[in-house]
Amino acid sequence: MNSPANTSAEQSAAGMRQPATAGSQPPLTGLRVLDIATLFAGPLAATLLGDFGAEVIKIEHPRRPDPSRGHGPSKDGVGLWWKLLGRNKRTMTADLSTAGGRETLLRLAATADVIVENFRPGTLERWGLGWEELSAVNPRLVLARVTGFGQFGPYAHQPCFGTLAEALSGFAAVTGDPDGPPTLPPFGLADSIAGITTAYAVMTALRARDRTGRGQIVDMAIIEPILTVVGPQPLWYDQLGHVQPRTGNRSANNAPRNTYRTADDHWVAVSTSAQSIAERVMHLVGRPELISEPWFATGADRARHADVLDDAVGSWIARHTRAEVLDAFAKAEAAVAPVQDVRDIMGDPQYAARDALTTVDDPELGPLRMQNVLFRLTETPGGIRWAGRPHGADTDALLTELGLTEEEIETLRSEGAV
């Protein structure tokens, strides 16, 4: 569980908690990140940095909050997605297109290590907040620019969302049943991959700054990380002219590999990437004679006989309950998993043992269960200090820390700058 926050920045917000550590601070303590991005890759990158101790300041438009506050279900008028995406972030408002908002960002940039933004290329420059101006006030700054198509190229100025990246990358083309349409994921896959990659890119740029003393621009195009994740498709095509087809839940590299319905109307997933596992499954389902077939010796050959193998495995699973299937596979040391929805996930013992879904106390909504940090560090672990805070909750505190008086803050507010 978490203990009270220690830094002065964290003490300024109600309900903030510091994760328990092994006697030392989280590894990114002392790093200041300005999150001026929206939906979803850029903000996720900032969240991941905040999870490991960075002080993240979320800057939103005074009259148009981050759209994630309104995405998906809400409780008591409070968006739940924001509670996840906005965790470990202090929140303030500033209209960057105004003179007062511009000056506020420049003053913050002078104190920051990283800015994460996702405006269409040229927008910050139009406001007088491009790399030239930002690096002038802080040569050590890292500017992470997260856009659909990146900062250059024929598509750079076109609007883009993760859905388009999932289509352009080849992901949708290989997803779905062979006789069905290309299939898009029902969640922000490309954005999430890009957010994780951006956090890595920022840390890479900061490591370079350790050597050179100077910051730089991170140009992250959402279309590119997912292009890596879809695997060696370009290499296959370049060398062999091979175009990967849609295969549903099957694989071209091994079989049996599919989802199968149990006798009590549940689903399980089976994988046999290793030859020894494939053989164990055949013994388990009562079809050991298939192991002697010449084509059973390699995953690719087994994949070409997937109909036979799916029938063998599927018919056996269909005669047993999910509990019986899982128990039998465990005893056979074969690879199987239940196809879980969120109800199952919330009670899964492996996730529970790792605290992968942890509880965060929130002043607005009370205890919240959400995904924990992405990975574990034995000496300097990260953690969730607080969930997403109200719009602009820390504006006055942050402006005061910059040295502004109450009168100056009120002037900015009257001008609509904050």
Side-chain angles (χ1 to χ4, degrees), residues 94-106 129 412 417-418:
D95 182 349
L96 305 183
S97 67
T98 66
R102 174 184 182 275
E103 182 60 28
T104 297
L105 185 67
L106 288 174
L129 291 169
L412 288 173
V418 299

Side-chain angles (χ1 to χ4, degrees), residues 68-392:
S68 66
R69 291 182 181 272
H71 264 59
S74 62
K75 179 182 178 182
D76 299 335
V78 179
L80 296 176
W81 202 332
W82 165 252
K83 286 297 179 183
L84 177 66
L85 193 63
R87 72 189 190 191
N88 293 335
K89 299 180 183 181
R90 304 173 75 190
T91 60
M92 69 172 292
T93 61
D95 182 349
L96 305 183
S97 67
T98 66
R102 174 184 182 275
E103 182 60 28
T104 297
L105 185 67
L106 288 174
R107 294 180 71 158
L108 282 167
T111 73
D113 299 280
V114 180
I115 294 179
V116 182
E117 67 98 358
N118 71 334
F119 295 102
R120 198 174 299 188
T123 301
L124 285 185
E125 286 76 7
R126 190 170 67 251
W127 294 338
L129 291 169
W131 176 243
E132 183 176 346
E133 291 84 1
L134 293 171
S135 61
V137 300
N138 185 354
R140 292 174 56 81
L141 185 70
V142 170
L143 176 62
R145 316 196 76 166
V146 187
T147 58
F149 298 119
Q151 297 297 307
F152 61 90
Y155 304 164
H157 292 274
Q158 296 181 18
C160 180
F161 297 98
T163 297
L164 276 63
E166 289 144 11
L168 285 164
S169 64
F171 171 85
V174 299
T175 304
D177 292 326
D179 56 352
T183 302
L184 296 166
F187 59 95
L189 177 64
D191 276 297
S192 298
I193 295 170
I196 296 169
T197 307
T198 300
Y200 163 68
V202 165
M203 296 310 300
T204 302
L206 290 171
R207 180 68 181 92
R209 189 186 71 175
D210 290 344
R211 297 198 317 272
T212 67
R214 294 192 62 82
Q216 59 184 298
I217 297 172
V218 171
D219 179 4
M220 177 60 64
I222 294 174
I223 60 171
E224 291 181 346
I226 192 171
L227 182 63
T228 294
V229 169
V230 297
Q233 290 186 50
L235 180 60
W236 288 340
Y237 182 76
D238 174 65
Q239 294 297 302
L240 302 172
H242 174 72
V243 178
Q244 182 175 335
R246 288 191 291 283
T247 56
N249 290 323
R250 288 178 172 177
S251 168
N253 302 309
N254 67 83
R257 191 264 197 181
N258 213 326
T259 58
Y260 307 92
R261 191 192 298 266
T262 65
D264 52 349
D265 204 30
H266 292 288
W267 291 87
V268 296
V270 173
S271 176
T272 57
S273 294
Q275 181 69 21
S276 60
I277 298 294
E279 293 176 5
R280 291 173 195 167
V281 170
M282 291 302 103
H283 282 291
L284 171 62
V285 301
R287 297 295 302 276
E289 75 280 4
L290 293 176
I291 300 172
S292 302
E293 294 287 346
W295 48 261
F296 198 87
T298 70
D301 282 340
R302 293 200 308 274
R304 284 188 277 271
H305 294 79
D307 286 342
V308 173
L309 295 171
D310 274 346
D311 179 69
V313 175
S315 61
W316 183 88
I317 288 176
R319 298 193 300 270
H320 296 81
T321 67
R322 180 171 69 174
E324 292 169 342
V325 170
L326 298 179
D327 181 63
F329 268 73
K331 290 177 179 176
E333 297 184 351
V336 69
V339 176
Q340 300 190 143
D341 65 19
V342 68
R343 294 167 294 187
D344 303 308
I345 292 166
M346 298 298 272
D348 184 278
Q350 179 65 23
Y351 286 132
R354 294 181 59 81
D355 196 29
L357 292 167
T358 196
T359 300
V360 181
D361 291 326
D362 181 67
E364 290 185 285
L365 299 178
L368 304 173
R369 290 189 72 191
M370 64 174 65
Q371 296 95 322
N372 208 337
V373 298
L374 274 181
F375 50 88
R376 311 293 186 270
L377 298 178
T378 58
E379 297 300 321
T380 56
I384 305 169
R385 302 183 293 281
W386 62 88
R389 288 174 46 71
H391 181 230

Side-chain angles (χ1 to χ4, degrees), residues 393-409:
D394 303 296
T395 300
D396 286 6
L398 284 161
L399 293 176
T400 300
E401 290 172 18
L402 289 174
L404 275 69
T405 65
E406 289 184 15
E407 292 76 15
E408 290 172 319
I409 295 172

Side-chain angles (χ1 to χ4, degrees), residues 18 24 409 417:
Q18 186 75 11
S24 59
I409 295 172

